[in-house]
Amino acid sequence: MASSLIICNWKMYFHHSQAVAWFKMHQEELSTLMSSSLHHMVICPSYDAIAPIANIQSLHSPKGLVGKNGFNKISIGAQDCSAYNEGPYTSQVSAQSLKEIGCSYVIIGHSETRKNQKDTTETSVLKTIQAYEHNLTPIVCIGETRDKYTAGSTLNVLEEQVRPLLELYKKYTKNLVIAYEPVWSIGTNQIPDNEHLERVYDYILRKCARLEIQRIPLLLYGGSVDEEVISRLKAVPEIQGFLIGKASTDFQKLKKIVKLV
Ligand code: PGA
């Protein structure tokens, strides 16, 4: 695979002190690993750990460890942001704040925030606007539930999720990462077969063509990715990287994944 994006979604697996200790312990080896790799990594800890981890990263890599494409080889991202700029939104964190504390990316519309925080396609669009307005690259998650998958309605679900997003992307002409994450695949060790994946990515590409989008968004796969399945997933040519949950919290697994991608 050519240069790929590896997103580490740490969810709420670590407490604050554990997340910071993980990064302190592995930062040097991770930097060495990434500098000799074609790939780019984004670490997404929970909100509380973003600033300390971003500080450690910039301290050890003052000019940023920059790859050939000009991107930092290890960046920091958030797992969500507010759909609003500022105001009476108790508990929310704005895209502007995330930018100020060292984020370059933000995950939007993850199925767990769709389920637990009632995110919808509409809120995902508003959050993507916030990301664009504050120079964060949005990583927008899309995907169908098990019921929709077994009913053969995957593309209908994606139509509803993808169309407004691509229209926005066309308007802003900034970077967009789309992560196809079937809801039924997250944390279950069940991954769709490559034929299904080809159909999904082909659908997104056709959608881009229909909207006359020349610069294709970066397309990722997420859901039960670990070192065991990378080789199989790499056979899908449209996949340009992975969104990894649980396996990304295990440094040994993460190292294997980077080497196999
Ligand atoms: P998982 O999570 O790799 O633990 O299945 C992926 C995700 O939710 O982004």
Side-chain angles (χ1 to χ4, degrees):
M1 193 181 265
S3 168
S4 300
L5 190 59
I6 299 168
I7 315 278
C8 302
N9 176 12
W10 283 358
K11 309 192 181 191
M12 207 177 72
Y13 285 120
F14 292 134
H15 300 150
H16 177 82
S17 53
Q18 292 172 320
V20 177
W22 187 106
F23 197 72
K24 264 190 195 151
M25 185 185 299
H26 302 301
Q27 194 276 340
E28 205 178 316
E29 198 178 338
L30 201 56
S31 292
T32 310
L33 179 70
M34 295 312 293
S35 63
S36 60
S37 141
L38 286 172
H39 313 312
H40 169 70
M41 181 177 283
V42 184
I43 306 257
C44 303
S46 49
Y47 285 137
D48 55 282
I50 291 171
I53 287 181
N55 286 341
I56 299 167
Q57 176 60 9
S58 64
L59 213 77
H60 289 275
S61 182
K63 293 193 194 85
L65 191 57
V66 177
K68 277 202 194 108
N69 55 9
F71 288 118
N72 281 346
K73 302 283 303 210
I74 302 173
S75 304
I76 311 301
Q79 299 173 14
D80 194 14
C81 70
S82 175
Y84 308 101
N85 195 37
E86 59 180 19
Y89 302 106
T90 302
S91 88
Q92 300 194 20
V93 179
S94 68
Q96 165 89 42
S97 298
L98 296 173
K99 186 73 191 176
E100 286 177 11
I101 61 173
C103 281
S104 333
Y105 289 78
V106 58
I107 297 173
I108 291 172
H110 189 280
S111 67
E112 285 153 15
T113 63
R114 287 181 195 256
K115 182 167 159 243
N116 301 324
Q117 278 102 266
K118 308 283 175 270
D119 249 0
T120 60
T121 298
E122 288 72 35
T123 55
S124 296
V125 165
L126 291 175
K127 290 177 179 189
T128 306
I129 293 173
Q130 286 300 313
Y132 280 151
E133 293 293 334
H134 299 287
N135 288 323
L136 295 171
T137 298
I139 304 159
V140 183
C141 302
I142 57 168
E144 79 286 2
T145 58
R146 187 182 299 279
D147 285 355
K148 297 289 182 187
Y149 172 72
T150 40
S153 311
T154 299
L155 297 188
N156 299 337
V157 174
L158 297 190
E159 170 69 21
E160 187 265 328
Q161 296 175 340
V162 165
R163 194 183 28 79
L165 182 63
L166 287 180
E167 283 165 1
L168 192 68
Y169 172 61
K170 192 173 168 182
K171 186 170 147 214
Y172 271 87
T173 64
K174 293 195 171 192
N175 292 331
L176 174 66
V177 181
I178 298 182
Y180 172 55
E181 296 211 305
V183 179
W184 54 275
S185 180
I186 295 173
T188 59
N189 279 331
Q190 292 172 13
I191 298 184
D193 60 31
N194 286 14
E195 212 179 298
H196 175 86
L197 293 173
E198 300 265 12
R199 258 200 311 278
V200 164
Y201 295 109
D202 182 60
Y203 161 78
I204 300 173
L205 294 180
R206 278 187 286 114
K207 201 79 211 154
C208 288
R210 229 170 292 143
L211 290 168
E212 296 176 350
I213 290 171
Q214 321 283 350
R215 212 165 48 96
I216 305 301
L218 206 67
L219 303 179
L220 311 189
Y221 170 78
S224 294
V225 175
D226 63 16
E227 72 287 7
E228 311 273 327
V229 293
I230 287 287
S231 308
R232 197 258 273 181
L233 292 169
K234 268 174 60 183
V236 180
E238 292 82 8
I239 298 181
Q240 295 163 289
F242 300 97
L243 177 40
I244 308 167
K246 185 77 178 146
S248 73
T249 61
D250 179 327
F251 186 62
Q252 298 309 323
K253 279 180 188 268
L254 186 60
K255 264 192 342 192
K256 280 192 196 145
I257 291 171
V258 171
K259 287 178 183 158
L260 288 168
V261 170

